[in-house]
Amino acid sequence: MGFETQIREALKELESAGLRRFPPRISGAQGPEVELDGPGQVPVGTEAVYDVFVTYNEEAYPNDEIAEVKYLLFDATGAMVASGLAEPVEDGQFQVVLGTDTTGQLAGGSN
């Protein structure tokens, strides 16, 4: 499983858990969609920036209706290396910055 796939799965899991605790104030059968944009491979010890987009019906989801966006980073063995909150950028957009100290904890060749 690739690094980006692991991040996407973690975001989906967090989205699902968050929506159960904080139901969105929207109507319709389907809730918000979350999309992750960022590098699929990150050299060990370099900064990596990921943008998280939250939309509903192809419109940016209002940030004042989102309690928080969390991230979890796992290494190739499945051990959690880091976690934290994504920073809001604008409605429907958040950003996760993995600093050099964080990516430096990952082993070369990790997926």
Side-chain angles (χ1 to χ4, degrees):
M1 178 180 313
F3 180 65
E4 188 172 355
T5 302
Q6 290 175 333
I7 291 176
R8 287 179 196 269
E9 288 181 4
L11 284 171
K12 286 180 184 178
E13 183 177 319
L14 290 169
E15 172 194 9
S16 176
L19 293 176
R20 281 196 297 271
R21 289 187 318 193
F22 305 103
R25 288 178 249 152
I26 54 177
S27 61
Q30 188 175 16
E33 293 184 14
V34 176
E35 180 182 334
L36 179 68
D37 184 34
Q41 295 182 356
V42 179
V44 173
T46 61
E47 182 177 270
V49 179
Y50 293 89
D51 289 304
V52 181
F53 298 96
V54 184
T55 59
Y56 180 73
N57 286 337
E58 299 182 16
E59 297 289 327
Y61 202 89
N63 285 0
D64 63 354
E65 294 193 19
I66 300 173
E68 59 191 13
V69 175
K70 295 180 181 179
Y71 69 90
L72 304 173
L73 176 63
F74 298 90
D75 67 13
T77 68
M80 187 165 49
V81 174
S83 65
L85 297 176
E87 293 293 325
V89 175
E90 61 187 17
D91 273 354
Q93 183 181 1
F94 294 80
Q95 194 168 75
V96 174
V97 178
L98 301 176
T100 58
D101 57 329
T102 301
T103 63
Q105 297 177 49
L106 300 171
S110 294
N111 291 322

